[in-house]
């Protein structure tokens, strides 16, 4: 019954989306005012129904109701409850339902709270949101029904990929999806603004918090995904340029460009056309990412099912949504009046460079990701990895970071370099000092060297905009900017130091033997069997001491799951303020030794710390904007009440 | 600076600037892709037409039964990758993936040495029933079925 209830809620939600679309369309016409009144309630109800459907799915997973096909295929009764619930979105159908639910909830929210734009534009926006939503409802209901029943009911489920049985899974996809799908709001606003020819600073102001929120979730999602891959996959790497990672990086790049250009539009009424285009591009990147991941074109832990129908379906959705929006853009771009002008040396000028560089990197990542698919059409199999992505994107990222150091110091409209001579010298000096210091240490490649110098430049410059201002009265968004930019410096520092100074040791050790890796001495004290709820493992006991200090124990494992039967390596990590010791145990050798792989990774944690700082910056900016909006609303309401009082008196 | 940008044509200048940057990125990417993409080989291709030693490639095939030897250090492995027509000696130092064993499929990432051995920096093995490296999916289909029959048991 639960499953049927969920399915019914989903069908109703789809019907409401159709109603929302039709009402928004007809509501624009003369005499359609009554229909237009339906749009907002429809959006809100649709969000509630989707929420109900999603809760029903969680419920069947929590109960391990094996008469539901999806549960039988992906779950198992002997699994911790948290993974049963997380398992609801650890598969194709469930994750698509999560996608649609977030999309409906976001649409419901703008319907509920957004009243700043002209109603006509809002109607078009909500109509666009319903249109995109309908496509995904159709995909769910016709090609990936999460509530399909299974008969006869099997005695036990097939279990879940052990790689996915991790607390990371509970958080990673929902976070990333909030980011992906949150960008659909920017897409709908852009389409709404184009349809009603209403590209104004107000439009940018309304769109900006949504982009910022989605971007923040993407940042957290990418950071968490990177850390998860780092400790779960046991290779000691934190970014693999895997197509699936690129699929999340591309919307992030587009969203980063978008909220920077939206801030130009909001503050200065410039870059109108560009901002609208980025609004379309950002969500297009989310959809392309979904297509790459979900179509089965790529095989990885993320590709749940290889099913050509689904791939074709998503491709069709992609073509309709992106093609439609770009065609609309092409038709209307000429009618958007040119915005305010600015000099090359100005805040706007710096932000233009930021946007162009981000778009270039986006293009590079997109080409690198699609290239293997293209060559495959000609029966040539290639894979594209770090030797392509690292240097080629660095060519654009590094100059962009140099501009990042200067841009926030510049004034809007027009500025002179002499005015900011002092800070510029300080920033440049920091860069040169670090560059020389790093260069004097032997064995650092050019990329790491430049990375370290730029990290110093960006770190010093991040807080320059705060100088001479009262820290108490500084608006939150400015704090957010400083912290996010500082986060970039921290992450870049971590990346550069990790790739320049990591020490690795691979060996087969006897029990009792000591191994030196960097400043650490690691002793294998024992190897013993362990049993978990649904796995057994061989665990190595390691005793590690840093420069002869006290010993810490690490217990890396090699786990064997029995449903489905599979072995995974569980790395063990020891975190110090200045880095991480990363240990992996492999199998035994014929002569009774054990394979050990140890890394000392100095300051590697800075990578994720930086990622979180970037997200925190976004969060502060978001809170600042929302608080300002709330204050404005309260003030308007007070004025309205006052007026009414005056009128009645 | 301002004079260079005739105010009227600012949008045009911006569009050209953006186009130039994107074109430059595209050209750079195309050039780098040609040089940096790592191609997939099967043993008979790599034997008849070996790639440059400095070029990263992927080699896919079956781990020949009886060829897997571990060096005295306990972590370096030597084995032969075979497609029924040719075989390539492979060296790998590291912890092999869990489902890496004789007679099963493997994709090795690395490069060819001048002496004809393949030095792998990473091994991708069949992970479980649901996750097979893409190259291997097709390979078992394309390659002579007897290869699979005689090497997998």
């Amino acid at each position: 019954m639960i499953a049927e209830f969920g399915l019914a809620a989903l069908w109703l939600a789809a019907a409401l989306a159709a109603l929302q679309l039709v009402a928004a369309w007809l509501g624009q016409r003369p005499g359609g005012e009554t229909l237009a009144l339906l749009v907002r309630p429809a959006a809100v109800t649709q969000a509630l129904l989707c929420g109900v459907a999603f809760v029903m799915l969680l419920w069947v997973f929590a109960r391990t109701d094996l008469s539901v096909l999806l549960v039988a295929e992906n779950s198992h009764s002997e699994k911790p409850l948290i993974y049963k619930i997380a398992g609801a979105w650890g598969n194709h159908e469930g994750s698509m339902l999560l996608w649609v639910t977030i999309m409906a909830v976001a649409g419901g929210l703008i319907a509920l709270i957004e009243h700043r734009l002209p109603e006509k534009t809002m109607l078009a926006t909500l109509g666009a949101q319903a249109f995109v939503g309908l496509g995904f409802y159709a995909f769910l209901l016709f090609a990936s029904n999460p509530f399909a029943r299974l008969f006869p009911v099997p005695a036990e489920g097939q279990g879940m990929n052990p790689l996915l049985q991790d607390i990371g899974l509970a958080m990673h996809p929902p976070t990333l999806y909030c980011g992906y799908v949150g960008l659909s709001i920017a897409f709908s606003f852009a389409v709404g603004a184009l349809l009603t020819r209403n590209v104004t600073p107000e439009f940018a102001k309304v769109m900006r918090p949504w982009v910022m929120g989605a971007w923040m979730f993407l940042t957290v999602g990418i950071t968490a995904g990177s850390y998860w891959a780092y400790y779960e996959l046991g290779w000691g790497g934190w970014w693999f340029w895997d197509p699936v990672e690129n699929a999340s990086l591309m919307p992030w790049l587009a969203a980063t460009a978008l909220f920077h250009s939206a801030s130009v539009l909001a503050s200065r009424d410039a870059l109108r056309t560009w901002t609208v285009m980025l609004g379309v591009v950002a969500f297009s990147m989310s959809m392309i990412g979904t297509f790459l991941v979900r179509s089965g074109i790529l095989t990885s832990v993320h590709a749940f099912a290889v099913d050509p129908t689904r791939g074709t379906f998503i491709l069709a959705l992609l073509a309709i949504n992106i093609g439609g929006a770009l065609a609309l853009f092409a038709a209307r771009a000429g009618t958007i009046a040119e915005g305010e002008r600015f000099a090359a040396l100005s805040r706007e000028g710096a932000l233009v460079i930021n946007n162009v560089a981000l778009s270039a990197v986006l293009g590079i990542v997109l080409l690198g990701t699609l290239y293997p698919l293209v060559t495959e059409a000609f029966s040539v199999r290639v894979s594209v990895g770090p030797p392509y992505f690292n240097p080629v994107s660095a060519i654009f990222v590094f100059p962009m970071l140099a501009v990042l150091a200067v841009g926030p110091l510049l004034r809007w409209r027009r500025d002179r370099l002499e005015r900011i001579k002092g800070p510029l010298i300080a920033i440049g000096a920091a860069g040169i000092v670090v560059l020389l210091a790093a260069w004097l240490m032997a064995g650092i490649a050019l990329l790491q060297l430049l990375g370290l110098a730029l990290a110093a430049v960006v770190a010093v410059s991040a807080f320059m905009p705060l100088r001479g201002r009262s820290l108490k009265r500084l608006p939150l968004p400015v704090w957010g900017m400083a912290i996010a930019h500082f986060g970039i410096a921290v992450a870049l520092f971590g990346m550069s130091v990790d790739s320049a100074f990591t020490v690795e040791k691979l060996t087969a050790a006897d029990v009792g033997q000591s191994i030196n890796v960097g400043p650490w001495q690691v002793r294998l004290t024992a190897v013993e069997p362990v049993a978990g709820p649904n796995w057994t493992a061989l665990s190595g006991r390691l005793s590690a001491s840093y420069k002869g200090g006290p010993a810490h124990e690490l217990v890396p494992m090699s786990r064997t799951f029995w449903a489905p039967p599979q072995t995974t390596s569980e790395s063990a990590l020891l975190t110090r303020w200045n880095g991480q010791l990363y240990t992996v145990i492999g199998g035994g050798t014929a002569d009774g030794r054990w394979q050990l792989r140890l890394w000392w990774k100095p300051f590697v944690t800075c990578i994720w710390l930086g990622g979180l700082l970037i997200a925190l910056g976004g969060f502060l900016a978001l809170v600042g904007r929302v608080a300002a909006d709330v204050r404005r609303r309260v003030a308007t309401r007070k004025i309205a009440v006052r007026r009414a009082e005056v009128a009645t008196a | 600076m301002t004079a260079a940008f005739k105010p009227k044509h600012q949008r045009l200048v911006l569009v050209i600037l953006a186009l130039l940057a994107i074109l430059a990125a595209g050209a750079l990417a195309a050039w780098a892709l040609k040089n940096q993409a790592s191609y997939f080989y099967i043993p008979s291709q790599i034997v008849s037409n070996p790639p440059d030693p400095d070029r990263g490639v992927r080699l896919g095939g079956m781990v020949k039964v009886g060829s897997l030897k571990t060096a005295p250090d306990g972590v370096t492995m030597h084995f032969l990758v075979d497609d029924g027509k040719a075989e390539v000696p492979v060296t790998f130092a590291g912890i092999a993936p869990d489902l890496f064993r004789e007679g099963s499929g493997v994709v090795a990432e690395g490069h060819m040495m001048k002496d004809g051995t393949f030095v792998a920096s990473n091994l991708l093995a069949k992970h479980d029933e649901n996750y097979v490296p893409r190259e291997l999916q097709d390979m078992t289909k394309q390659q002579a079925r007897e290869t699979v029959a005689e090497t997998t048991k």
Side-chain angles (χ1 to χ4, degrees), chain B residues 113-131:
Chain B
M113 300 306 269
K114 287 235 169 65
D115 63 359
T117 53
F118 187 88
V119 177
S121 52
N122 191 19
L123 293 183
L124 311 168
K126 200 171 147 175
H127 227 103
D128 63 29
E129 291 309 315
N130 303 318
Y131 174 51

Side-chain angles (χ1 to χ4, degrees), chain A residues 260 347 408-409 462 465-466 476-486 617-618 620-621:
Chain A
H260 282 99
R347 181 84 66 90
L409 302 173
L466 308 189
L476 269 182
V478 178
W479 274 113
M481 176 183 77
I483 289 174
H485 286 174
F486 182 66
L620 289 181

